[in-house]
């Protein structure tokens, strides 16, 4: 069944529609386990999001971008607090997921949070804050977070950018599968951009189509699913 009704009901992921098995069950009273398209006598138009007014309805009166249980909901990394992570990644950015599998849990000697800590006893957030404030040629001040306050970042934006040699939508899919959070396309757009805005739109639409075809070919529906595709073979 879908989550409990009422204003105090938990904002948890709903179960899928029992008819189509794809869309979430409609948020209605009395409870019903069909989506708005599959309700007998439908399809019916879902309500707009009560928070932002979007028509991309998900569940419990919220859209896919505002509902914390939605795969598309963006939050902060539970370890370094960087913004831009998803539920299916257990609310950790790429680097913190690596830290989580290689370092122990404990209390950071600087911020005293219970998180993954490195060899010197500092968490990633305090370490990155020290690097942010580091003077060139000077050693790291690992207590910079206590001096200046913690510096927050966007998740993986500083080190997970796929760029260089990206010409097709297949290249974009490969870069994301390898761990890129952002993919940059430059040279392949230059000629079209000089020609006209319409020519640029044609190239961008071609790249998007190639990306969609690549995703369809390996059986993934969302961009986030490319991170876990079994079609990527890593050589150790």
């Amino acid at each position: 069944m879908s989550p409990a009704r009422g204003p105090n009901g938990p904002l948890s992921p709903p179960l899928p529609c029992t008819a189509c098995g794809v869309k979430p069950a409609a948020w209605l009273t009395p409870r019903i386990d069909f989506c708005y398209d599959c309700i007998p006598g439908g399809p019916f138009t879902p309500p707009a999001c009560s928070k932002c007014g979007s028509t991309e309805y998900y569940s419990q009166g919220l859209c896919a971008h505002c509902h914390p249980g939605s795969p598309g909901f963006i939050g902060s990394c539970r370890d370094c607090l960087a913004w831009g992570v998803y539920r299916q990644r257990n609310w950790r950015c790429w680097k913190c997921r690596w830290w989580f599998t290689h370092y122990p849990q404990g209390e950071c000697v600087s911020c005293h949070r219970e998180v993954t800590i490195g060899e010197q006893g500092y968490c990633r957030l305090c370490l990155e804050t020290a690097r942010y404030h580091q003077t060139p040629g000077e050693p790291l001040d690992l207590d910079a977070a206590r001096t200046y306050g913690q510096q927050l970042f966007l998740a993986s934006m500083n080190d997970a950018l796929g760029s260089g040699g990206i010409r097709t939508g297949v290249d974009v899919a490969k870069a994301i599968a390898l761990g890129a959070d952002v993919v940059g396309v430059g040279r392949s757009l230059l000629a079209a951009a000089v020609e006209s805005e319409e020519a640029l739109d044609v190239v961008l639409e071609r790249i998007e189509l190639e990306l969609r075809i690549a995703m369809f070919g390996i059986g993934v529906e969302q961009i986030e699913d490319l991170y876990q595709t079994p079609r990527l073979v890593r050589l150790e």
Side-chain angles (χ1 to χ4, degrees):
M1 288 187 174
S2 48
R5 300 295 188 266
N8 297 320
L11 290 174
S12 54
L15 292 179
C17 169
T18 55
C20 68
V22 177
K23 294 185 177 182
W27 185 249
L28 297 172
T29 302
R31 184 189 305 276
I32 188 170
D33 289 325
F34 297 101
C35 68
Y36 283 95
D37 288 344
C38 297
I39 295 175
F44 296 96
T45 302
C49 175
S50 60
K51 187 174 183 180
C52 70
S54 170
T55 57
E56 298 181 21
Y57 185 79
Y58 182 70
S59 183
Q60 293 172 274
L62 299 173
C63 68
H65 300 288
C66 295
H67 194 293
S70 165
F73 182 81
I74 301 176
S76 297
C77 175
R78 61 169 60 192
D79 284 358
C80 73
L81 308 182
W83 187 87
V85 298
Y86 296 93
R87 170 184 290 270
Q88 54 263 57
R89 297 287 175 264
N90 201 23
W91 301 117
R92 283 190 175 93
C93 66
W94 277 104
K95 276 201 169 181
C96 284
R97 291 207 299 277
W98 189 91
W99 269 53
F100 183 73
T101 59
H102 289 76
Y103 294 123
Q105 301 293 298
E107 181 181 341
C108 174
V109 298
S110 180
C111 67
H112 302 293
R113 294 184 303 136
E114 287 289 333
V115 291
T116 306
I117 55 174
E119 295 175 353
Q120 295 175 297
Y122 291 84
C123 68
R124 267 206 70 233
L125 177 56
C126 289
L127 181 60
E128 293 297 337
T129 298
R131 289 172 177 166
Y132 179 81
H133 291 287
Q134 183 180 19
T135 301
E138 297 293 328
L140 281 177
D141 176 11
L142 291 173
D143 291 320
R146 287 189 291 193
T147 304
Y148 304 103
Q150 290 175 322
Q151 173 66 43
L152 302 184
F153 301 89
L154 296 177
S156 302
M157 287 291 288
N158 60 335
D159 55 5
L161 171 64
S163 183
I166 305 295
R167 296 181 176 86
T168 70
V170 176
D171 294 331
V172 174
K174 290 178 181 178
I176 296 173
L178 288 169
D181 295 294
V182 181
V183 180
V185 182
R187 183 181 296 273
S188 58
L189 301 179
L190 184 58
V194 172
E195 180 181 341
S196 67
E197 184 176 345
E198 291 73 17
L200 180 60
D201 289 340
V202 170
V203 176
L204 289 173
E205 289 173 359
R206 173 181 60 78
I207 293 175
E208 179 182 357
L209 177 61
E210 291 168 344
L211 173 59
R212 291 181 180 275
I213 292 174
M215 293 172 60
F216 176 79
I218 61 176
V220 300
E221 296 183 358
Q222 299 182 4
I223 291 291
E224 294 82 6
D225 297 333
L226 286 170
Y227 292 124
Q228 295 180 323
T229 174
R231 301 300 183 96
L232 179 65
V233 178
R234 298 181 183 273
L235 299 179
E236 302 296 338

